[in-house]
Amino acid sequence: MDLVIATVSQGLLWALLAIGVYLTFRVLDIADLTVEGSFPLGAATAATLIVAGSHPLVAIVAACVAGMLAGVVTGILCTKFKIPALLAGILTMIALYSVNLRIMGKANLPLLQQDTIFTIWNLGMDKMMTTLVIGAVIVLVVALLNYWFFGTELGTAVRATGFNPHMIRANGINTDNMVVLGLLLSNGLVAISGALVAQSNGFADVGMGVGTIVIGLASVIIGEVLFGTRSFKNCLISVILGSIVYRAVIAIVLQMGMPPNDLKLFTAILVALALSMPLLQARWNKIRKGGR
Amino acid sequence: MLHIENISKTFNPGTITEKLALHNVSLHLAPGDFVTVIGGNGAGKSTLMNSIAGTYPVDEGRITIDGTDITKWPEHKRAKYIGRVFQDPMMGTAAGMMIEENLAIAARRGKSPTLKWSSSADSRQHFRELLMGLNLGLEDRLESKVGLLSGGQRQALTLLMATMAQPKLLLLDEHTAALDPKTAEKVLLLTDKIIKQQKLTTLMITHNMRDALKYGNRLIMMYEGHILFDIDSEKKKNLGIKDLLAMFEKAAGSELNSDSLLLS
Ligand SMILES: Nc1ncnc2c1ncn2[C@@H]1O[C@H](COP(=O)(O)OP(=O)(O)OP(=O)(O)O)[C@@H](O)[C@H]1O
Ligand SMILES: [Mg+2]
């Protein structure tokens, strides 16, 4: 039971990362590697502020703003300076490594004995239940805000930019601005996720961003396959559930005895397989038809 | 209304693929003009249209709409005045979004998007009425994704989107070329109807000479980056395809490469 609660709450904390990756990878149709830097950026910002005595909520808001700035940097690199989005994200990610070290002043910042978002309110539950409830509330609020925003004129324009930039320009909207806005929102969410994970783990580490893009992609893909993509609302829910299922898969393979060091390899193979699925399926169908 | 003064456009200047696509082109459109544009492959028709729409900047010359100089405006800013339908049915709509969402974007062409919820009962009713005019049964499918529509349906929808916010200028670049002949004819009739209803100033590229003669009040023939001739409505009425071919030979000094133009 404890393991289930822990798995679900981890899934919720990481779900914001998954939504962020969904916004770039699916909505904007960009593979944005900034997340590998903005996730630890959120963690570093929040941890540093908490150690300095800030309220955890303030720390999370600050982390979000920092993530948004990182997104804007990538956005400007790829729209104004025409650097391919993948490379723009890598540049920001690398730059953020130094930025994160500067923010924390060292590679690892523990949050021992500090008040975190999971300890400041006494909900009359044990630590794990509290994490679950607070994680659920935050994810719900973020999901509702996303649902609202992407239903507005502006949000609709961001989504349409990913589907068809020609169409959206022909309708008078500056696609560059929409791309920057999308990257801003995405990295803001990723940074919140980093801030939450740091507080739950009890430390921020400069290396905690490694592989986050793949974790995000895995959650997005698992969610889409299992829970559908009918509408934007459906996708949001899918991605959140996908993040939880991903954590469950990880918990199961670890229980089955896979060494934790192999986790990233496992996740990468999972994502590679999922991404090549459409092609493999087409081949398979062709072979079957040819055989008949 | 539309004044194009001496515009030129060279692609890939200074390289071996350098191509002078427009050479000193001038064209004036009066309000309500419906001009059909013909010419062989590579004559510069699409380049002319893309230059007006701002897909890329011109090297020289000036473009004004109703006295406003738009030569230096980016594409998205020009969209305030210009509605467009492309040759590729995929280009004009967002396939992964609902019909309603596409229409909501088009209804606000040229206005900055706000944080207002993009759909309302009022707008839905309005969209339904507009879709009814297309006669394709789309009024009951507001929540269908556009990707599920046929090419003809998508072009009809794009046409509606391009015209619903009353553009000053409508640009159609072979917007029926990807459709089967029957659907193409339907979409063309619909185009003609909308243009007449709204008295839209229009430039329409076509590869079909018969359509070029049948529709519109003016016809221009392009050849090697310039306008070879410009036929006004009086002369156009009595013109046949043979006359057009003869005019081309006289003006260009060569035979028209008829592969690239549909003669019937
Ligand atoms: N983006 C581009 N880059 C380089 N060359 C181009 C570009 N667009 C057009 N051209 C060249 O400019 C010339 C004019 O092309 P344009 O597309 O305007 O012709 P068109 O009259 O529309 O022909 P078609 O009937 O085939 O559509 C052609 O030689 C073409 O190869
Ligand atoms: Mg063309």
Side-chain angles (χ1 to χ4, degrees):
Chain A
M1 189 62 206
D2 277 0
L3 190 64
V4 173
I5 294 174
T7 304
V8 174
S9 42
Q10 280 302 303
L12 287 171
L13 303 188
W14 287 83
L16 301 185
L17 166 87
I19 297 176
V21 169
Y22 171 77
L23 292 185
T24 49
F25 188 65
R26 287 296 191 223
V27 173
L28 285 182
D29 200 15
I30 287 177
D32 175 35
L33 286 180
T34 315
V35 297
E36 301 248 325
S38 50
F39 186 83
L41 173 66
T45 307
T48 306
L49 284 174
I50 287 173
V51 168
S54 294
H55 191 281
L57 264 183
V58 175
I60 290 173
V61 172
C64 175
V65 172
M68 287 175 161
L69 285 176
V72 169
V73 170
T74 302
I76 288 175
L77 287 179
C78 74
T79 57
K80 297 284 174 289
F81 298 105
K82 308 283 175 228
I83 298 175
L86 194 63
L87 183 55
I90 291 176
L91 291 174
T92 313
M93 167 186 98
I94 297 294
L96 283 174
Y97 189 85
S98 298
V99 172
N100 293 339
L101 278 174
R102 264 192 188 273
I103 290 174
M104 295 194 289
K106 50 188 171 184
N108 186 296
L109 191 60
L111 287 171
L112 302 170
Q113 268 95 53
Q114 302 285 348
D115 265 343
T116 69
I117 190 82
F118 305 112
T119 62
I120 42 170
W121 296 299
N122 184 2
L123 303 180
M125 294 175 250
D126 66 4
K127 184 162 173 271
M128 272 201 309
M129 262 327 257
T130 313
T131 308
L132 181 75
V133 170
I134 291 180
V137 169
I138 293 176
V139 168
L140 186 70
V141 169
V142 167
L144 284 175
L145 280 174
N146 269 284
Y147 177 66
W148 164 75
F149 176 76
F150 285 98
T152 65
E153 291 167 6
L154 192 58
T156 309
V158 173
R159 282 166 56 220
T161 300
F163 283 118
N164 187 348
H166 294 289
M167 172 265 191
I168 205 73
R169 270 196 296 274
N171 281 290
I173 291 164
N174 186 340
T175 45
D176 284 359
N177 291 350
M178 297 303 114
V179 169
V180 174
L181 180 58
L183 287 167
L184 172 148
L185 292 173
S186 162
N187 284 288
L189 293 180
V190 172
I192 296 180
S193 187
L196 293 176
V197 168
Q199 293 178 59
S200 150
N201 289 355
F203 65 89
D205 189 279
V206 72
M208 69 194 283
V210 177
T212 42
I213 181 73
V214 184
I215 294 172
L217 288 175
S219 310
V220 169
I221 295 167
I222 292 173
E224 286 177 344
V225 170
L226 294 183
F227 307 105
T229 57
R230 266 188 330 280
S231 59
F232 183 74
K233 183 163 80 179
N234 183 196
C235 287
L236 267 181
I237 296 170
S238 295
V239 167
I240 294 167
L241 296 179
S243 172
I244 295 171
V245 172
Y246 170 76
R247 287 294 145 189
V249 172
I250 296 300
I252 291 167
V253 294
L254 287 179
Q255 286 276 306
M256 282 166 33
M258 195 179 75
N261 283 346
D262 291 346
L263 263 185
K264 289 206 164 43
L265 177 64
F266 172 80
T267 307
I269 292 174
L270 191 76
V271 170
L273 274 179
L275 288 178
S276 43
M277 220 36 152
L279 203 73
L280 293 178
Q281 224 157 26
R283 288 259 169 88
W284 172 241
N285 286 343
K286 226 173 162 182
I287 291 169
R288 268 206 334 204
K289 264 192 204 146
R292 252 180 227 164
Chain B
M1 204 256 90
L2 173 71
H3 281 255
I4 298 173
E5 313 281 354
N6 288 314
I7 60 168
S8 297
K9 175 75 191 172
T10 303
F11 287 108
N12 310 320
T15 68
I16 44 165
T17 54
E18 179 171 302
K19 171 76 199 174
L20 179 62
L22 285 181
H23 183 59
N24 268 332
V25 173
S26 295
L27 177 68
H28 296 193
L29 261 57
D33 263 356
F34 177 3
V35 182
T36 53
V37 183
I38 55 173
N41 286 118
K45 306 179 297 292
S46 296
T47 308
L48 174 64
M49 213 163 257
N50 292 336
S51 300
I52 299 170
T55 311
Y56 31 68
V58 293
D59 305 331
E60 271 165 61
R62 234 162 70 95
I63 305 170
T64 62
I65 289 184
D66 275 349
T68 310
D69 189 337
I70 61 164
T71 319
K72 299 230 152 55
W73 287 18
E75 185 178 13
H76 65 89
K77 200 168 163 200
R78 296 189 200 192
K80 187 157 83 181
Y81 297 152
I82 299 174
R84 265 193 295 169
V85 185
F86 309 92
Q87 175 172 354
D88 180 355
M90 301 301 185
M91 282 265 273
T93 47
M97 296 174 79
M98 299 186 284
I99 293 180
E100 179 185 355
E101 294 173 311
N102 275 273
L103 286 170
I105 289 169
R108 295 188 45 86
R109 182 167 42 73
K111 297 191 189 119
S112 302
T114 68
L115 286 177
K116 261 201 2 239
W117 194 252
S118 86
S119 84
S120 67
D122 278 357
S123 66
R124 255 191 301 261
Q125 189 48 37
H126 177 55
F127 296 162
R128 240 179 244 121
E129 281 160 17
L130 288 173
L131 287 169
M132 215 109 73
L134 298 183
N135 249 327
L136 293 169
L138 295 181
E139 57 275 14
D140 303 320
R141 298 179 59 188
L142 276 182
E143 302 200 345
S144 292
K145 288 193 178 165
V146 172
L148 299 173
L149 305 184
S150 69
Q153 289 174 325
R154 281 180 82 158
Q155 285 305 69
L157 180 65
T158 311
L159 189 65
L160 180 61
M161 287 169 59
T163 53
M164 67 193 293
Q166 276 95 30
K168 285 179 187 286
L169 178 66
L170 178 62
L171 299 178
L172 309 168
D173 188 350
E174 298 189 51
H175 67 304
T176 61
L179 310 176
D180 66 79
K182 250 179 97 180
T183 314
E185 165 131 37
K186 261 198 202 157
V187 172
L188 268 177
L189 287 171
L190 180 69
T191 308
D192 198 46
K193 186 175 111 187
I194 292 177
I195 291 172
K196 282 182 176 144
Q197 265 170 8
Q198 298 193 28
K199 300 187 180 63
L200 290 173
T201 313
T202 305
L203 268 176
M204 177 173 93
I205 300 177
T206 171
H207 261 163
N208 187 318
M209 289 225 210
R210 207 179 49 175
D211 291 338
L213 288 168
K214 179 172 164 194
Y215 297 102
N217 68 331
R218 243 173 101 182
L219 181 153
I220 60 177
M221 164 77 87
M222 290 193 68
Y223 177 67
E224 292 188 343
H226 62 272
I227 294 175
L228 204 54
F229 50 76
D230 185 340
I231 302 169
D232 63 26
S233 70
E234 259 330 287
K235 260 168 63 195
K236 186 169 177 285
K237 270 183 205 145
N238 311 310
L239 216 61
I241 291 172
K242 282 218 178 67
D243 306 317
L244 264 185
L245 291 175
M247 284 176 76
F248 177 85
E249 266 162 52
K250 207 175 135 217
S254 73
E255 276 216 20
L256 186 62
N257 167 14
S258 51
D259 297 348
S260 57
L261 283 176
L262 295 172
L263 299 179
S264 55

mmCIF file of all heavy atoms in Angstrom, chain A residues 78-109:
data_model
loop_
_atom_site.group_PDB
_atom_site.id
_atom_site.type_symbol
_atom_site.label_atom_id
_atom_site.label_comp_id
_atom_site.label_asym_id
_atom_site.label_seq_id
_atom_site.Cartn_x
_atom_site.Cartn_y
_atom_site.Cartn_z
ATOM 1 N N CYS A 78 15.517 30.291 -31.055
ATOM 2 C CA CYS A 78 15.044 29.567 -32.242
ATOM 3 C C CYS A 78 14.144 30.409 -33.147
ATOM 4 O O CYS A 78 14.090 30.144 -34.341
ATOM 5 C CB CYS A 78 14.451 28.192 -31.907
ATOM 6 S SG CYS A 78 12.870 28.186 -31.151
ATOM 7 N N THR A 79 13.497 31.452 -32.632
ATOM 8 C CA THR A 79 12.670 32.261 -33.543
ATOM 9 C C THR A 79 13.437 33.462 -34.096
ATOM 10 O O THR A 79 13.516 33.641 -35.301
ATOM 11 C CB THR A 79 11.392 32.762 -32.857
ATOM 12 O OG1 THR A 79 11.747 33.508 -31.689
ATOM 13 C CG2 THR A 79 10.502 31.615 -32.458
ATOM 14 N N LYS A 80 14.022 34.257 -33.201
ATOM 15 C CA LYS A 80 14.673 35.488 -33.675
ATOM 16 C C LYS A 80 16.013 35.178 -34.357
ATOM 17 O O LYS A 80 16.399 35.834 -35.311
ATOM 18 C CB LYS A 80 14.909 36.456 -32.517
ATOM 19 C CG LYS A 80 13.625 36.949 -31.857
ATOM 20 C CD LYS A 80 12.920 37.994 -32.711
ATOM 21 C CE LYS A 80 11.571 38.386 -32.136
ATOM 22 N NZ LYS A 80 10.525 37.341 -32.251
ATOM 23 N N PHE A 81 16.735 34.167 -33.829
ATOM 24 C CA PHE A 81 18.049 33.893 -34.390
ATOM 25 C C PHE A 81 18.080 32.640 -35.260
ATOM 26 O O PHE A 81 19.134 32.201 -35.705
ATOM 27 C CB PHE A 81 19.092 33.812 -33.269
ATOM 28 C CG PHE A 81 19.220 35.104 -32.504
ATOM 29 C CD1 PHE A 81 18.689 35.241 -31.238
ATOM 30 C CD2 PHE A 81 19.809 36.207 -33.098
ATOM 31 C CE1 PHE A 81 18.776 36.451 -30.547
ATOM 32 C CE2 PHE A 81 19.905 37.409 -32.422
ATOM 33 C CZ PHE A 81 19.382 37.540 -31.141
ATOM 34 N N LYS A 82 16.894 32.063 -35.474
ATOM 35 C CA LYS A 82 16.745 30.945 -36.417
ATOM 36 C C LYS A 82 17.674 29.763 -36.131
ATOM 37 O O LYS A 82 18.103 29.058 -37.042
ATOM 38 C CB LYS A 82 16.987 31.414 -37.868
ATOM 39 C CG LYS A 82 16.162 32.622 -38.276
ATOM 40 C CD LYS A 82 14.726 32.256 -38.574
ATOM 41 C CE LYS A 82 13.892 33.484 -38.871
ATOM 42 N NZ LYS A 82 12.620 33.514 -38.143
ATOM 43 N N ILE A 83 18.030 29.573 -34.863
ATOM 44 C CA ILE A 83 18.795 28.386 -34.501
ATOM 45 C C ILE A 83 17.809 27.226 -34.409
ATOM 46 O O ILE A 83 16.747 27.370 -33.804
ATOM 47 C CB ILE A 83 19.498 28.601 -33.143
ATOM 48 C CG1 ILE A 83 20.483 29.770 -33.260
ATOM 49 C CG2 ILE A 83 20.206 27.326 -32.685
ATOM 50 C CD1 ILE A 83 21.132 30.142 -31.950
ATOM 51 N N PRO A 84 18.115 26.080 -35.023
ATOM 52 C CA PRO A 84 17.175 24.955 -34.960
ATOM 53 C C PRO A 84 16.770 24.673 -33.512
ATOM 54 O O PRO A 84 17.615 24.714 -32.604
ATOM 55 C CB PRO A 84 17.973 23.791 -35.545
ATOM 56 C CG PRO A 84 19.009 24.428 -36.409
ATOM 57 C CD PRO A 84 19.323 25.762 -35.790
ATOM 58 N N ALA A 85 15.484 24.371 -33.306
ATOM 59 C CA ALA A 85 14.936 24.284 -31.956
ATOM 60 C C ALA A 85 15.706 23.300 -31.075
ATOM 61 O O ALA A 85 15.961 23.551 -29.899
ATOM 62 C CB ALA A 85 13.469 23.904 -32.023
ATOM 63 N N LEU A 86 16.087 22.178 -31.663
ATOM 64 C CA LEU A 86 16.798 21.157 -30.888
ATOM 65 C C LEU A 86 18.110 21.724 -30.338
ATOM 66 O O LEU A 86 18.436 21.571 -29.161
ATOM 67 C CB LEU A 86 17.086 19.964 -31.806
ATOM 68 C CG LEU A 86 17.508 18.667 -31.142
ATOM 69 C CD1 LEU A 86 16.403 18.126 -30.254
ATOM 70 C CD2 LEU A 86 17.882 17.639 -32.200
ATOM 71 N N LEU A 87 18.840 22.417 -31.208
ATOM 72 C CA LEU A 87 20.125 22.992 -30.807
ATOM 73 C C LEU A 87 19.918 24.138 -29.819
ATOM 74 O O LEU A 87 20.654 24.263 -28.828
ATOM 75 C CB LEU A 87 20.870 23.476 -32.059
ATOM 76 C CG LEU A 87 22.266 24.036 -31.837
ATOM 77 C CD1 LEU A 87 23.137 23.035 -31.103
ATOM 78 C CD2 LEU A 87 22.903 24.407 -33.174
ATOM 79 N N ALA A 88 18.896 24.953 -30.066
ATOM 80 C CA ALA A 88 18.604 26.073 -29.158
ATOM 81 C C ALA A 88 18.372 25.532 -27.746
ATOM 82 O O ALA A 88 18.890 26.078 -26.758
ATOM 83 C CB ALA A 88 17.387 26.848 -29.645
ATOM 84 N N GLY A 89 17.615 24.429 -27.661
ATOM 85 C CA GLY A 89 17.338 23.827 -26.358
ATOM 86 C C GLY A 89 18.607 23.309 -25.701
ATOM 87 O O GLY A 89 18.823 23.483 -24.496
ATOM 88 N N ILE A 90 19.473 22.697 -26.497
ATOM 89 C CA ILE A 90 20.730 22.170 -25.957
ATOM 90 C C ILE A 90 21.584 23.316 -25.406
ATOM 91 O O ILE A 90 22.152 23.216 -24.315
ATOM 92 C CB ILE A 90 21.504 21.384 -27.040
ATOM 93 C CG1 ILE A 90 20.752 20.097 -27.375
ATOM 94 C CG2 ILE A 90 22.920 21.077 -26.574
ATOM 95 C CD1 ILE A 90 21.354 19.285 -28.500
ATOM 96 N N LEU A 91 21.634 24.415 -26.161
ATOM 97 C CA LEU A 91 22.439 25.560 -25.712
ATOM 98 C C LEU A 91 21.942 26.077 -24.366
ATOM 99 O O LEU A 91 22.727 26.298 -23.442
ATOM 100 C CB LEU A 91 22.388 26.681 -26.766
ATOM 101 C CG LEU A 91 23.109 26.374 -28.078
ATOM 102 C CD1 LEU A 91 22.882 27.484 -29.093
ATOM 103 C CD2 LEU A 91 24.600 26.174 -27.826
ATOM 104 N N THR A 92 20.626 26.259 -24.256
ATOM 105 C CA THR A 92 20.078 26.754 -22.989
ATOM 106 C C THR A 92 20.346 25.754 -21.873
ATOM 107 O O THR A 92 20.734 26.120 -20.757
ATOM 108 C CB THR A 92 18.568 26.996 -23.116
ATOM 109 O OG1 THR A 92 18.322 27.727 -24.313
ATOM 110 C CG2 THR A 92 18.039 27.778 -21.936
ATOM 111 N N MET A 93 20.159 24.479 -22.180
ATOM 112 C CA MET A 93 20.374 23.436 -21.180
ATOM 113 C C MET A 93 21.800 23.490 -20.623
ATOM 114 O O MET A 93 22.021 23.469 -19.413
ATOM 115 C CB MET A 93 20.111 22.077 -21.819
ATOM 116 C CG MET A 93 20.568 20.882 -21.019
ATOM 117 S SD MET A 93 20.351 19.395 -21.993
ATOM 118 C CE MET A 93 21.991 19.159 -22.616
ATOM 119 N N ILE A 94 22.774 23.584 -21.525
ATOM 120 C CA ILE A 94 24.183 23.620 -21.099
ATOM 121 C C ILE A 94 24.454 24.873 -20.275
ATOM 122 O O ILE A 94 25.080 24.821 -19.212
ATOM 123 C CB ILE A 94 25.116 23.613 -22.347
ATOM 124 C CG1 ILE A 94 24.940 22.322 -23.134
ATOM 125 C CG2 ILE A 94 26.570 23.809 -21.935
ATOM 126 C CD1 ILE A 94 25.396 21.091 -22.422
ATOM 127 N N ALA A 95 23.921 26.001 -20.771
ATOM 128 C CA ALA A 95 24.133 27.256 -20.046
ATOM 129 C C ALA A 95 23.540 27.156 -18.642
ATOM 130 O O ALA A 95 24.126 27.641 -17.666
ATOM 131 C CB ALA A 95 23.493 28.409 -20.816
ATOM 132 N N LEU A 96 22.379 26.494 -18.551
ATOM 133 C CA LEU A 96 21.702 26.406 -17.259
ATOM 134 C C LEU A 96 22.509 25.597 -16.244
ATOM 135 O O LEU A 96 22.381 25.808 -15.040
ATOM 136 C CB LEU A 96 20.306 25.808 -17.425
ATOM 137 C CG LEU A 96 19.245 26.755 -17.980
ATOM 138 C CD1 LEU A 96 17.940 26.014 -18.231
ATOM 139 C CD2 LEU A 96 19.015 27.934 -17.032
ATOM 140 N N TYR A 97 23.330 24.685 -16.719
ATOM 141 C CA TYR A 97 24.157 23.895 -15.793
ATOM 142 C C TYR A 97 25.009 24.839 -14.941
ATOM 143 O O TYR A 97 25.044 24.734 -13.716
ATOM 144 C CB TYR A 97 25.046 22.930 -16.586
ATOM 145 C CG TYR A 97 25.766 21.925 -15.714
ATOM 146 C CD1 TYR A 97 25.151 20.744 -15.340
ATOM 147 C CD2 TYR A 97 27.060 22.175 -15.258
ATOM 148 C CE1 TYR A 97 25.802 19.822 -14.530
ATOM 149 C CE2 TYR A 97 27.717 21.265 -14.445
ATOM 150 C CZ TYR A 97 27.084 20.087 -14.095
ATOM 151 O OH TYR A 97 27.724 19.187 -13.283
ATOM 152 N N SER A 98 25.657 25.794 -15.605
ATOM 153 C CA SER A 98 26.465 26.781 -14.873
ATOM 154 C C SER A 98 25.569 27.667 -14.014
ATOM 155 O O SER A 98 25.900 27.971 -12.860
ATOM 156 C CB SER A 98 27.251 27.655 -15.854
ATOM 157 O OG SER A 98 28.135 26.873 -16.601
ATOM 158 N N VAL A 99 24.431 28.088 -14.598
ATOM 159 C CA VAL A 99 23.516 28.962 -13.852
ATOM 160 C C VAL A 99 23.067 28.269 -12.563
ATOM 161 O O VAL A 99 23.068 28.870 -11.485
ATOM 162 C CB VAL A 99 22.303 29.332 -14.724
ATOM 163 C CG1 VAL A 99 21.252 30.083 -13.904
ATOM 164 C CG2 VAL A 99 22.739 30.170 -15.921
ATOM 165 N N ASN A 100 22.721 26.992 -12.684
ATOM 166 C CA ASN A 100 22.232 26.261 -11.516
ATOM 167 C C ASN A 100 23.307 26.137 -10.436
ATOM 168 O O ASN A 100 23.031 26.253 -9.245
ATOM 169 C CB ASN A 100 21.743 24.875 -11.928
ATOM 170 C CG ASN A 100 20.507 24.961 -12.804
ATOM 171 O OD1 ASN A 100 19.798 25.974 -12.781
ATOM 172 N ND2 ASN A 100 20.260 23.930 -13.596
ATOM 173 N N LEU A 101 24.557 25.910 -10.862
ATOM 174 C CA LEU A 101 25.654 25.853 -9.905
ATOM 175 C C LEU A 101 25.825 27.192 -9.197
ATOM 176 O O LEU A 101 26.047 27.261 -7.991
ATOM 177 C CB LEU A 101 26.955 25.468 -10.610
ATOM 178 C CG LEU A 101 27.152 23.969 -10.857
ATOM 179 C CD1 LEU A 101 28.404 23.737 -11.687
ATOM 180 C CD2 LEU A 101 27.245 23.217 -9.532
ATOM 181 N N ARG A 102 25.681 28.253 -9.965
ATOM 182 C CA ARG A 102 25.799 29.589 -9.375
ATOM 183 C C ARG A 102 24.683 29.846 -8.362
ATOM 184 O O ARG A 102 24.917 30.407 -7.297
ATOM 185 C CB ARG A 102 25.724 30.649 -10.476
ATOM 186 C CG ARG A 102 27.080 31.098 -10.925
ATOM 187 C CD ARG A 102 26.974 32.335 -11.801
ATOM 188 N NE ARG A 102 28.281 32.622 -12.364
ATOM 189 C CZ ARG A 102 29.191 33.359 -11.741
ATOM 190 N NH1 ARG A 102 28.924 33.908 -10.567
ATOM 191 N NH2 ARG A 102 30.364 33.571 -12.281
ATOM 192 N N ILE A 103 23.464 29.442 -8.737
ATOM 193 C CA ILE A 103 22.326 29.680 -7.834
ATOM 194 C C ILE A 103 22.557 28.975 -6.502
ATOM 195 O O ILE A 103 22.393 29.551 -5.429
ATOM 196 C CB ILE A 103 21.010 29.188 -8.477
ATOM 197 C CG1 ILE A 103 20.631 30.101 -9.660
ATOM 198 C CG2 ILE A 103 19.873 29.173 -7.450
ATOM 199 C CD1 ILE A 103 19.433 29.621 -10.441
ATOM 200 N N MET A 104 22.975 27.700 -6.586
ATOM 201 C CA MET A 104 23.111 26.919 -5.351
ATOM 202 C C MET A 104 24.453 27.148 -4.663
ATOM 203 O O MET A 104 24.602 26.893 -3.473
ATOM 204 C CB MET A 104 22.947 25.423 -5.646
ATOM 205 C CG MET A 104 21.548 25.071 -6.137
ATOM 206 S SD MET A 104 21.234 23.314 -6.099
ATOM 207 C CE MET A 104 22.279 22.725 -7.421
ATOM 208 N N GLY A 105 25.445 27.587 -5.424
ATOM 209 C CA GLY A 105 26.778 27.791 -4.877
ATOM 210 C C GLY A 105 27.551 26.495 -4.721
ATOM 211 O O GLY A 105 28.721 26.491 -4.350
ATOM 212 N N LYS A 106 26.882 25.357 -4.954
ATOM 213 C CA LYS A 106 27.534 24.048 -4.909
ATOM 214 C C LYS A 106 26.676 23.055 -5.689
ATOM 215 O O LYS A 106 25.591 23.410 -6.163
ATOM 216 C CB LYS A 106 27.719 23.592 -3.462
ATOM 217 C CG LYS A 106 26.453 23.699 -2.644
ATOM 218 C CD LYS A 106 26.740 23.414 -1.177
ATOM 219 C CE LYS A 106 25.511 23.737 -0.336
ATOM 220 N NZ LYS A 106 25.720 23.589 1.075
ATOM 221 N N ALA A 107 27.155 21.837 -5.815
ATOM 222 C CA ALA A 107 26.474 20.899 -6.699
ATOM 223 C C ALA A 107 25.231 20.278 -6.071
ATOM 224 O O ALA A 107 24.338 19.830 -6.767
ATOM 225 C CB ALA A 107 27.430 19.793 -7.135
ATOM 226 N N ASN A 108 25.197 20.268 -4.735
ATOM 227 C CA ASN A 108 24.068 19.614 -4.071
ATOM 228 C C ASN A 108 23.651 20.417 -2.850
ATOM 229 O O ASN A 108 24.486 20.797 -2.035
ATOM 230 C CB ASN A 108 24.476 18.194 -3.652
ATOM 231 C CG ASN A 108 23.290 17.426 -3.098
ATOM 232 O OD1 ASN A 108 22.734 17.798 -2.066
ATOM 233 N ND2 ASN A 108 22.904 16.375 -3.795
ATOM 234 N N LEU A 109 22.351 20.698 -2.790
ATOM 235 C CA LEU A 109 21.855 21.514 -1.681
ATOM 236 C C LEU A 109 20.796 20.731 -0.915
ATOM 237 O O LEU A 109 19.688 20.539 -1.402
ATOM 238 C CB LEU A 109 21.269 22.807 -2.238
ATOM 239 C CG LEU A 109 20.923 23.909 -1.232
ATOM 240 C CD1 LEU A 109 22.154 24.361 -0.460
ATOM 241 C CD2 LEU A 109 20.300 25.091 -1.953
#
